[in-house]
Amino acid sequence: MQSLPVACAIHPDIGAVFTCQRCGCFACEDCRSVSQSTLCLPCSQRVAPAGSLTASVLLRDSFSLLGRNLSGVGLLLGFNLLALYLGSFIRHPDSNRFLVSLLSGCLSCISVAAFLSWTADGLLQQPGRSLLASLHVGMLRFVPLLLMSLLFALVVGAGTLLLILPGIYLALCMSLAPALVALEGLGPVQALNHSYQLTQGHRLALLAVFAVMTLLHVGVMLLGQLYLTLLPRLGDSPWLWMGFFVLGQAVSSALFYGTLVLAWMRVTGRVALSPDP
């Protein structure tokens, strides 16, 4: 029995000739985007052109994403608490500091990879999105992410020794590497090289965004310290300060890595770019 041709989702009387890469709908040739041949016209109007990145839009969307991604904040918070009490699960943690540091770094990389996967799948509306799937990504990608982080620290550290500015420049050039490792499965060196290529023409925007986030992070930490200093009764409770610190760290990390996901999507044309107001 001969199967009937698949109809276009927009023009039911016309047969489809391709499937939109973004929404998965069948579409005819008249519905194909001229600028992006793998997308239908509606999707090409929603998706940002590859290479577009604006600091004001990225900052606004990053804070908006933070408010809508409380589950991601909770994921990072849980791993931060686990890393905080990691020493209590190891005998003689003072004499096994290297082991504690190594396990803490592995937990951090697992949480970052899982958070990046969870956030990206949510923005892209992936049908198989689940916390378990994101944790699975974290377990698969934490080793290359850890190696990439070590290479990143070595390169940026060497650049920082050269009057600081080269270190800042290299950090901006390689800032998208975590997303490339966790979301595209690139190796450590390949991710750093590809990030250098992707950030060309966008480094000033990234500098402005990360500078604002750094100032906000420092400001929150200073306000927390001032708050505890002005209230001696609360300052005598170390668990209160520790709780504030861990929560602030989770929120700050969620904001930073959420921005990386958005920036990665912007420069690769994977997500809609909202216009400036």
Side-chain angles (χ1 to χ4, degrees), residues 9-87:
I10 298 177
H11 305 103
D13 55 332
I14 302 178
V17 295
F18 77 102
T19 303
C20 177
Q21 189 179 44
R22 181 175 183 269
C23 67
C25 291
F26 297 106
C28 64
E29 195 62 40
D30 291 338
C31 293
R32 187 192 297 271
S33 170
V34 177
S35 59
Q36 302 181 70
S37 60
T38 59
L39 301 180
C40 63
L41 282 173
C43 283
S44 67
Q45 295 170 359
R46 298 188 184 101
V47 173
S52 60
L53 189 66
T54 307
S56 60
V57 174
L58 187 56
L59 275 173
R60 183 186 63 202
D61 289 351
S62 296
F63 283 101
S64 175
L65 175 62
L66 180 65
R68 295 182 284 111
N69 195 23
L70 297 181
S71 55
V73 176
L75 175 66
L76 292 175
L77 179 60
F79 273 92
N80 286 347
L81 290 173
L82 182 59
L84 180 64
Y85 293 102
L86 184 62

Side-chain angles (χ1 to χ4, degrees), residues 53 58 112 116 145 148-149 151-153 155-156 166-183 188 190-211 213 256-265 267:
L53 189 66
L58 187 56
V112 168
L116 291 173
L145 188 58
M148 185 280 300
S149 300
L151 289 176
F152 182 94
V155 173
V156 173
I168 297 175
Y169 174 76
L170 290 172
L172 291 172
C173 292
M174 300 182 296
S175 59
L176 299 182
L180 295 172
V181 172
L183 303 177
Q190 188 181 7
L192 293 173
N193 290 333
H194 194 40
S195 176
Y196 185 89
Q197 298 171 0
L198 287 177
T199 55
Q200 290 183 3
H202 310 299
R203 288 159 193 165
L204 286 178
L206 291 172
L207 176 62
V209 171
F210 293 142
M213 291 186 177
F256 174 77
Y257 288 113
T259 302
L260 285 190
V261 173
L262 289 172
W264 168 74
M265 289 181 171
V267 298

Side-chain angles (χ1 to χ4, degrees), residues 116-256:
L116 291 173
S117 174
W118 174 259
T119 304
D121 287 349
L123 290 172
L124 293 174
Q125 299 179 350
Q126 295 293 342
R129 182 185 188 231
S130 69
L131 183 58
L132 185 60
S134 296
L135 291 174
H136 182 65
V137 171
M139 294 299 296
L140 288 177
R141 305 282 168 77
F142 82 92
V143 173
L145 188 58
L146 180 61
L147 294 176
M148 185 280 300
S149 300
L150 293 175
L151 289 176
F152 182 94
L154 288 174
V155 173
V156 173
T160 303
L161 294 176
L162 302 174
L163 301 178
I164 299 178
L165 290 180
I168 297 175
Y169 174 76
L170 290 172
L172 291 172
C173 292
M174 300 182 296
S175 59
L176 299 182
L180 295 172
V181 172
L183 303 177
E184 295 190 22
L186 301 185
V189 176
Q190 188 181 7
L192 293 173
N193 290 333
H194 194 40
S195 176
Y196 185 89
Q197 298 171 0
L198 287 177
T199 55
Q200 290 183 3
H202 310 299
R203 288 159 193 165
L204 286 178
L206 291 172
L207 176 62
V209 171
F210 293 142
V212 170
M213 291 186 177
T214 301
L215 290 175
L216 287 174
H217 177 71
V218 173
V220 170
M221 292 297 103
L222 290 177
L223 285 175
Q225 184 62 56
L226 179 63
Y227 178 75
L228 294 178
T229 302
L230 294 178
L231 296 176
R233 292 178 300 173
L234 297 178
D236 293 335
S237 302
W239 60 267
L240 184 63
W241 165 246
M242 190 60 68
F244 180 85
F245 175 77
V246 173
L247 179 60
Q249 190 178 39
V251 173
S252 177
S253 298
L255 181 61
F256 174 77

